[in-house]
């Protein structure tokens, strides 16, 4: 024990005082950081045709199409990869056009026709593109494969409809199914296993064309 200007201070007293201060301070901080009660999310009904079937679901208005398909409709063939529209694993076909379903809200597709990998073929009767991916070993781990196949199907439709790409040399002419066209159009679908060459072979097979330089 020491004395300073008439005050007696003990080591035990200093420790006890510090603990009390920390406890009071913690209580005050805890009270200040209690989260405010969050309001219930806004939901609304959405009706669209998915894989040939009219479907109506109630979703949080912030729900992406990808999460609506996977979590609400249990169509888990469509994969969540980067969730930023950079890998293509979530590719589905909406109104005949391929899109990244992680970048669009479900409520934006009222009345739309949507095709996922489950709607292209069945185990008993594969879609031609699915069969070609099996034939040419266009997959390894298989995670990106649903998005790759949906994108490949839409790619051939784009070429048939005369839609040019950055690889099209003459935009006034109808593009052909060339390797350069396929590589450019499929570049948004990443295969981390590196099966790109086999994927291109599979698409050529379905199109009835040959690989070009």
């Amino acid at each position: 024990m020491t004395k300073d200007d008439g005050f007696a201070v003990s080591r035990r007293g200093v420790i006890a005082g510090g603990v009390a201060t920390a406890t009071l301070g913690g209580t005050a901080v805890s009270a200040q950081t209690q989260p405010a009660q969050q309001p219930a999310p806004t939901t609304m009904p959405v009706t669209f045709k998915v894989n040939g079937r009219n479907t109506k679901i109630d979703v949080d208005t912030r729900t992406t199409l990808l999460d609506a398909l996977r979590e609400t409709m249990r169509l888990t063939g469509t994969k969540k990869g980067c969730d930023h529209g950079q890998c293509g694993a979530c590719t589905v076909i909406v109104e005949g056009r391929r899109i990244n379903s992680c970048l669009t809200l479900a409520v934006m597709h009222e009345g739309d026709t949507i095709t996922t990998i489950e709607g292209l073929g069945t185990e008993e009767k594969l879609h031609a593109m699915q069969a070609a991916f099996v034939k040419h070993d266009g997959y390894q781990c298989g995670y990106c494969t649903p998005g790759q196949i949906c994108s490949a199907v839409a790619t051939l439709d784009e070429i048939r409809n005369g839609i040019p790409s950055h690889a099209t040399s003459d935009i006034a002419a109808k593009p052909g199914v060339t390797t350069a066209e396929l590589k450019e159009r499929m570049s948004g679908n990443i295969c981390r296993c590196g099966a790109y060459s086999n994927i291109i072979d599979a698409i050529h097979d379905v199109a009835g064309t040959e690989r070009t330089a």
Side-chain angles (χ1 to χ4, degrees):
M1 180 180 294
T2 61
K3 292 185 177 181
D4 185 11
D5 297 330
F7 292 96
V9 181
S10 70
R11 181 171 178 271
R12 180 174 295 179
V14 171
I15 294 174
V19 170
T21 301
T23 302
L24 290 172
T27 301
V29 171
S30 176
Q32 293 174 1
T33 58
Q34 288 296 323
Q37 187 173 3
Q38 297 294 320
T42 301
T43 63
M44 66 180 295
V46 183
T47 302
F48 31 46
K49 181 179 285 187
V50 181
N51 299 331
R53 179 176 298 179
N54 290 323
T55 305
K56 183 177 181 179
I57 58 174
D58 287 308
V59 294
D60 185 326
T61 53
R62 300 166 296 180
T63 302
T64 63
L65 178 59
L66 171 61
D67 286 337
L69 291 170
R70 288 181 55 83
E71 307 301 330
T72 304
M73 302 180 65
R74 301 301 178 188
L75 294 171
T76 54
T78 303
K79 296 297 186 283
K80 178 177 284 195
C82 66
D83 214 22
H84 287 78
Q86 297 174 345
C87 72
C90 67
T91 303
V92 297
I93 303 171
V94 177
E95 293 294 300
R97 298 175 61 241
R98 54 189 170 140
I99 67 168
N100 291 322
S101 59
C102 74
L103 292 183
T104 185
L105 299 176
V107 294
M108 297 169 63
H109 296 284
E110 173 69 32
D112 283 354
T113 297
I114 301 168
T115 303
T116 70
I117 189 66
E118 291 91 345
L120 288 179
T122 65
E123 292 183 12
E124 295 76 23
K125 187 177 181 180
L126 296 177
H127 184 279
M129 191 66 73
Q130 292 172 314
F133 266 64
V134 174
K135 175 183 176 182
H136 294 277
D137 195 20
Y139 59 91
Q140 289 185 36
C141 77
Y143 193 84
C144 74
T145 306
Q148 296 275 3
I149 290 175
C150 285
S151 192
V153 170
T155 284
L156 291 183
D157 286 339
E158 290 170 4
I159 294 175
R160 292 190 195 100
N161 293 329
I163 299 173
S165 75
H166 288 294
T168 305
S169 57
D170 183 1
I171 61 173
K174 186 174 181 178
V177 185
T178 64
T179 300
E181 283 282 357
L182 297 182
K183 287 182 177 180
E184 169 60 29
R185 293 171 190 266
M186 293 294 295
S187 61
N189 290 81
I190 295 174
C191 174
R192 290 177 173 85
C193 297
Y196 297 113
S197 180
N198 296 350
I199 290 170
I200 296 299
D201 286 341
I203 302 173
H204 271 303
D205 192 344
V206 174
T209 54
E210 298 290 334
R211 174 183 281 273
T212 56

